[in-house]
Amino acid sequence: MGPLTVYEIISANTNLVLAFIIGIGFGFVLESSGFSSSRKLAGMFYGYDTTVLKVFFTAAITAMVGTLIFALLGWLDLSVIYINPTYLWSAILGGAVMGAGFILGGFCPGTAFCALSIGKLDALAFIGGLFIGVFLFTEAYPVFEGIYKAEFMGAPFVYDALGMSRGVFAAIMIIAAFGMFWLGEWSERKFPRDEY
């Protein structure tokens, strides 16, 4: 049955409209959950607020389980879903740069735009820096191209690398999520902060 556009159940334009509506809903949920506050987001790294961990882990687990159930019922063909290829070194370096930016600025790109939508000036500064970074990377791309494309791995799956089935991997991830939720609650009790 799905993906809907691949099997021409809906048109590409309808897909874009649906993506736009879902994007608005996603932004509404982010803002409603307090993700437009850089202090709340930075709290993840200082241990006094682990909402980011709980929300994103819940979203990942929900999407993973839903995808597996849809595939099991024959509603979703996993073999035609596009997966970003892995370039190992650029993924590691990019993750480190983004993590450092997240800690320093208190936003990731998505939450920065969420905060800007309600007029947060710190988000405006963060997004300005984001565009400067994109511009500089683009201009200096020939310098970075070698490491950017280093260690191409295709589209590997963690469960294949570990030699286990998707279902077993999903069960382990669900258990890990509950463990992280417990750790988050412990951290908030250990490093409380009344106002931020």
Side-chain angles (χ1 to χ4, degrees), residues 50-65:
T50 58
T51 303
V52 173
L53 179 143
K54 296 169 189 170
V55 169
F56 281 105
F57 226 136
T58 301
I61 295 298
T62 302
M64 179 182 65
V65 172

Side-chain angles (χ1 to χ4, degrees), residues 34-77:
F35 281 26
S36 58
S37 167
S38 58
R39 294 177 183 172
K40 188 177 189 70
L41 296 170
M44 175 67 227
F45 301 102
Y46 297 98
Y48 62 80
D49 191 324
T50 58
T51 303
V52 173
L53 179 143
K54 296 169 189 170
V55 169
F56 281 105
F57 226 136
T58 301
I61 295 298
T62 302
M64 179 182 65
V65 172
T67 299
L68 290 177
I69 292 175
F70 275 34
L72 188 65
L73 296 174
W75 297 349
L76 184 63
D77 185 355

